[in-house]
Amino acid sequence: MRPGRASVDLLSGVGEVELHLKLRSSNTEPLLITARMHGHTATLSFPAGSTTAIARVRIEHADLWWPRGHGAQPLYDIYITVSCEGIELDVATTRVGFRTVELVHTPDNDGTGINLLINNKPIFVHGASWVPDDAFPHRVTRERYRDRLHQAQFANLNVLRVWGGGIYESAHFYQLWDELGILTWQDFLLACAAYSEDEPLRSEIIAEARENVSRLASH
């Protein structure tokens, strides 16, 4: 089982997580999927032979995630289990924070501004661009990411932009941003060039965009 996407919504203080799950199973019996978050549980029956499912978990009075300098960064762990006739077959975990994000473009006498609202509050962003920390990405560990992000924190940054000429970083990178209250500005990796709009490149670009929006949207 793999959590394909965790879509987070926040309405009137009620947090809802929509989990898009992908399963591969040869089981001929229906499966039971259970998702637990902060004492709340959602269950659904998964028919034999199916490969995808959506589970929703709601939490009343969810604590809001804020960028550093504006509040705390509460994160909620979600535990997902797959079982059959009381026997646990698989388990997966993910973590989310509850926040709203709005990019506002309001025209004025000088042009069109760019305003970022987090939880309906205007945020003054001060950040920098992130380039790959090593020419060999496998050498960049979680600890090395943490050192770099602590440096960003020390410099009083609250946003880092992943440069479009770099790479999509590992899950550790985005998880640490969540924990430290640093906003993610993720470029699509289409920097400094003109790209063909013909096949097969067109489909490759679309597939890459879908994969990474799905993977990173909950951060």
Side-chain angles (χ1 to χ4, degrees):
M1 175 182 58
R2 181 169 67 92
R5 176 164 60 92
S7 177
V8 179
D9 203 358
L10 185 65
L11 298 172
S12 301
V14 178
E16 180 178 276
V17 181
E18 185 176 90
L19 299 161
H20 293 246
L21 309 172
K22 297 181 180 181
L23 294 88
R24 183 173 60 186
S25 172
S26 59
N27 203 305
T28 58
E29 299 295 328
L31 303 175
L32 181 68
I33 297 177
T34 304
R36 298 180 176 86
M37 177 180 65
H38 200 64
H40 295 70
T41 302
T43 60
L44 63 93
S45 179
F46 190 77
S50 298
T51 58
T52 61
I54 297 177
R56 295 179 177 87
V57 191
R58 292 166 58 90
I59 179 172
E60 303 285 341
H61 310 297
D63 293 325
L64 297 181
W65 182 98
W66 290 95
R68 64 182 309 271
H70 294 271
Q73 294 80 43
L75 297 171
Y76 292 84
D77 292 311
I78 305 174
Y79 301 91
I80 310 154
T81 59
V82 177
S83 59
C84 182
E85 298 180 347
I87 300 174
E88 187 176 290
L89 303 178
D90 197 6
V91 62
T93 62
T94 189
R95 174 179 280 187
V96 299
F98 291 99
R99 77 287 179 267
T100 62
V101 181
E102 186 178 1
L103 190 62
V104 180
H105 298 277
T106 305
D108 58 25
N109 293 332
D110 297 317
T112 301
I114 299 176
N115 297 291
L116 188 65
L117 303 183
I118 306 295
N119 303 325
N120 297 317
K121 177 183 177 181
I123 300 295
F124 180 78
V125 296
H126 31 101
S129 289
W130 171 275
V131 301
D133 196 52
D134 197 298
F136 296 94
H138 73 280
R139 297 196 299 208
V140 183
T141 62
R142 184 180 180 89
E143 291 70 27
R144 190 160 158 183
Y145 276 137
R146 185 179 292 277
D147 288 343
R148 295 291 181 263
L149 294 178
H150 276 307
Q151 290 171 348
Q153 198 175 34
F154 180 76
N156 200 33
L157 305 183
N158 64 5
V159 62
L160 284 174
R161 169 232 179 183
V162 180
W163 171 58
I167 62 172
Y168 291 106
E169 300 288 344
S170 78
H172 296 310
F173 187 61
Y174 304 98
Q175 291 165 1
L176 288 168
W177 282 13
D178 294 345
E179 294 174 12
L180 297 177
I182 299 177
L183 293 164
T184 306
W185 179 305
Q186 175 69 57
D187 281 5
F188 288 108
L189 303 184
L190 299 168
C192 309
Y195 296 86
S196 170
E197 297 181 13
D198 297 329
E199 297 293 356
L201 186 60
R202 178 183 178 86
S203 293
E204 291 290 333
I205 291 173
I206 292 172
E208 180 178 292
R210 290 182 184 277
E211 170 70 19
N212 286 285
V213 168
S214 175
R215 182 171 75 97
L216 302 178
S218 63
H219 292 286

